[in-house]
């Protein structure tokens, strides 16, 4: 259970009871009425499509080459090998499980004034089974009511909210679970894990109207990040555009589909050179003018991207020590808290991550402790730059772990580090395309599943995967297919070499502005994370929940989380390796 520290001073709950109590009460009452009325009504909005946009999208510029545009890219999700009936079924299930409610189609495109405004929106802490008293072990429930820019209540869901409960003085924080009641109300649920004054933080990441735009971009514009390859023979050099899918019947293509996995990849054929003269691969660029001016209003930093929602009354409560003889109170007191018991992956206390369930967290504060843990291990990190961060952390932290110079391009890899005295080998390799790195040599473009097929594995082998960020611009089917290949390879690896430790690092939150949102929004990551969790469920793999580790922490979100968070992530990895 939670730590046994007492906070020195307690914060009074209602500084101005008469003023706040009324607002609080009416909000709570409203919530109750709305919830009871609407909790069962699950409205299915149609995916919105904005046709005027397609005309605008035909004119765009790129920084470097004229990239192709898609008028119909639904074929993109279905490139590559045809999935088997079972795979199709799983895909359907996964897509259904991440279905996100959208605004009513009648309001499309919604004018800004009718969209969710975090400043006009409010939250209130609900009483605990009728009483304003909370103990460690209880659950804190918060009701959020969204309003539009005119201050009018919203009547549909689909806003993307984040919830955090924290005590800054204790370096404590935990991510909350947000439930969308699809009527403008949301519940945020928090487990109470430590004593003292705890503060609620609710953030609107995107409005439901903005999510609808992101959803459309994901399905219709997988071309919005494009890639390029250089082809060369002697002095003859040509560069062409590449992608997971390119418009068919446009120009001749080079088909770089992987023969083992069937993972599709294409480049336009160079005019003079043949396809087998490809030298390297790199990020091509990001398309512009993807959204209308009206839609751009839905993505304003400080206005409706990651803006906090205020409390109508107090935003904190005091948590008392756990009750000695806990009597289960019957259902009915609170709106919903009894129905959903929130169990987070872990929480911070004293700025250290405490994993809940399974492993006991150890802190590895000095290099000798880490070296002792990794002795005789071969660690293989595969993925994007968030996996590379762990490589860099370990190489910096362990003076005896010497990086071997493979003459790899900076930030691309592959990388290798060796501690001969302790027989430690650390490897990093980026995942196969799509990868927005600069200058990956063609021969180093390898798919993770193929690499895993080449591993002997065993009790001395640790495999770490972090694969998410470069998939956010593609339909989710693309990510599902990639994970399916990796899962197959992992299952075979665990079969032939039991004892191989597999750790998967999930996606994390990052800093968002308009530009980043369109290509890499946390909403895309959230959806990929759900798919990731579901696909490896039941397998003998361990998860580092980077999402919650960044959500619960007080430091600002960043694509590459700050060192303090990386230390906690690597400490968790090491705790998995050395329980
Ligand atoms: C888009 O392409 C797919 C696959 O080629 C096809 O089935 C679908 O009918 C097309 N949709 C439109 C609107 O042209
Ligand atoms: C690309 O190559 C793969 C594997 O050889 C093949 O299955 C696929 O049909 C090809 N795709 C195109 C568009 O030529
Ligand atoms: C590691 O360092 C933290 C912060 O300095 C400290 O609280 C903790 O007790 C240390 N843990 C160990 C095992 O030395
Ligand atoms: C390193 O940390 C371990 C436990 O985490 C501790 O037992 C050991 O004494 C520390 N070594 C040094 C040199 O500080
Ligand atoms: C690709 O390879 C060519 C030829 O070796 C090199 O000049 C170029 O810099 C490489 N591109 C990148 C982005 O590294």
């Amino acid at each position: 259970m939670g730590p046994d520290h007492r906070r020195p001073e307690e914060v009074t709950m209602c500084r101005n009871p008469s003023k706040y109590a009324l607002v609080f009460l009416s909000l709570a009452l409203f919530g109750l009425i709305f919830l009871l009325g609407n909790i069962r009504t699950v409205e299915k909005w149609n995916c919105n499509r904005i046709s005027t946009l397609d005309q605008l999208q035909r004119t765009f510029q790129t920084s470097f080459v004229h990239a192709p545009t898609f008028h119909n890219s639904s074929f993109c999700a279905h490139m590559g090998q045809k999935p088997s009936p079972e795979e199709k079924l799983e895909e359907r299930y996964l897509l259904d499980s991440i279905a996100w409610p959208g605004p009513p189609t009648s309001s499309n495109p919604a004018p800004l004034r009718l969209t969710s405004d975090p400043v006009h929106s409010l939250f209130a802490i609900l009483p605990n089974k009728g009483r304003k008293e909370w103990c460690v072990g209880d659950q804190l429930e918060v009701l959020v009511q969204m309003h539009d820019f005119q201050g009018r209540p919203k009547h549909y869901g689909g806003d993307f909210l984040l919830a955090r409960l924290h005590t800054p003085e204790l370096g404590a924080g935990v991510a909350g679970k947000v439930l969308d009641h699809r009527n403008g109300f949301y519940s945020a649920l928090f487990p109470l894990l430590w004593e003292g004054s705890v503060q609620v933080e609710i953030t609107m990441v995107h409005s439901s109207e903005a999510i609808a735009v992101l959803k459309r971009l994901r399905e219709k514009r997988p071309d919005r990040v494009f890639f390029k390859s250089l082809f060369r023979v002697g002095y003859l050099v040509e560069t062409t555009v590449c992608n997971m899918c390119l418009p068919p019947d446009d120009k001749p293509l080079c088909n770089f589909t992987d023969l083992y996995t069937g993972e599709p990849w294409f480049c336009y054929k160079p005019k003079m050179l043949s396809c087998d003269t490809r030298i390297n691969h790199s990020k091509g660029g990001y398309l512009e003018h993807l959204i209308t001016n009206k839609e751009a209003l839905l993505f304003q930093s400080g206005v409706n991207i990651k803006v906090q929602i205020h409390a109508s009354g107090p935003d904190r409560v005091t948590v008392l020590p756990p009750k000695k003889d806990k009597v289960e109170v019957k259902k009915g007191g609170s709106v919903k808290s009894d129905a959903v018991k929130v169990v987070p992956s872990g929480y911070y206390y004293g700025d250290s991550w405490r994993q809940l369930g399974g492993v006991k967290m150890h802190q590895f504060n000095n290099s000798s402790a880490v070296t002792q843990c990794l002795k005789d291990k071969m660690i293989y990190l595969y993925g994007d730059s968030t996996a590379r961060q762990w490589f860099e952390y370990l190489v910096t932290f362990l003076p005896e772990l010497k990086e071997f110079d493979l003459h790899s391009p900076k930030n691309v890899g592959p990388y290798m580090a060796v501690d001969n005295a302790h027989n430690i080998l650390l490897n990093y390799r980026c995942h196969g395309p799509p990868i927005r790195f600069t200058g990956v040599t063609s021969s180093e473009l390898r798919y993770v599943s193929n690499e895993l097929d080449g591993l002997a594995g065993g009790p001395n082998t640790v495999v770490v995967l972090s694969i998410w960020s470069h998939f956010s611009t593609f339909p989710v089917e693309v990510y599902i297919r990639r994970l399916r290949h990796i899962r197959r390879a992992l299952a075979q690896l665990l079969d032939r070499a039991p004892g191989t430790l597999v750790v998967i690092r999930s996606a994390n939150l990052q800093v968002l502005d308009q530009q980043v949102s369109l290509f890499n929004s946390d909403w895309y990551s959230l959806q990929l994370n759900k798919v990731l969790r579901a696909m490896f469920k039941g397998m003998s793999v361990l998860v580092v929940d980077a999402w919650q580790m960044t959500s619960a922490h007080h430091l600002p979100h960043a694509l590459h989380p700050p060192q303090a968070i990386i230390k906690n992530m690597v400490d968790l990895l090491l705790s998995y390796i050395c329980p």
Side-chain angles (χ1 to χ4, degrees), residues 281-328:
H281 160 97
S282 61
K283 178 177 73 188
Y286 297 82
L287 296 189
E288 291 170 17
H289 311 305
L290 290 162
I291 54 175
T292 62
N293 291 341
K294 200 169 171 184
E295 288 171 324
L297 297 175
L298 301 172
F299 297 94
Q300 300 180 65
S301 295
V303 176
N304 47 17
I305 300 178
K306 281 204 184 174
V307 174
Q308 284 192 15
I309 292 171
H310 292 293
S312 62
D315 66 351
R316 63 194 74 194
V317 302
T318 300
V319 182
L320 305 170
K323 283 219 178 69
K324 284 284 179 296
D325 39 21
K326 219 166 174 272
V327 193
E328 270 305 309

Side-chain angles (χ1 to χ4, degrees), residues 230 232 279-280 282 438-439:
L230 184 131
R232 192 189 64 202
I279 301 287
N280 55 22
S282 61
T438 47

Side-chain angles (χ1 to χ4, degrees), residues 363 366 368-369:
Q363 285 172 0
N366 60 53
S368 54

Side-chain angles (χ1 to χ4, degrees), residues 11 99 123 208 325 359 391 419 476 480:
V11 179
F123 75 80
S208 56
D325 39 21
V359 73
F391 179 94
D419 176 347
V476 179
I480 293 174

Side-chain angles (χ1 to χ4, degrees), residues 68-128:
T69 189
F70 288 83
H71 302 306
N72 169 15
S73 62
S74 55
F75 71 94
C76 206
H78 307 107
M79 293 287 283
Q81 287 170 338
K82 286 269 165 292
S84 71
E86 293 80 36
E87 289 168 347
K88 265 208 132 73
L89 211 63
E90 182 188 41
E91 182 179 282
R92 192 64 261 154
Y93 163 77
L94 290 167
L95 294 177
D96 287 347
S97 74
I98 59 167
W100 193 274
T105 40
S106 58
S107 70
N108 270 332
L112 181 67
R113 66 192 158 80
L114 298 181
T115 69
S116 304
D117 175 13
V119 173
H120 276 103
S121 302
L122 289 170
F123 75 80
I125 296 172
L126 297 185
N128 185 20

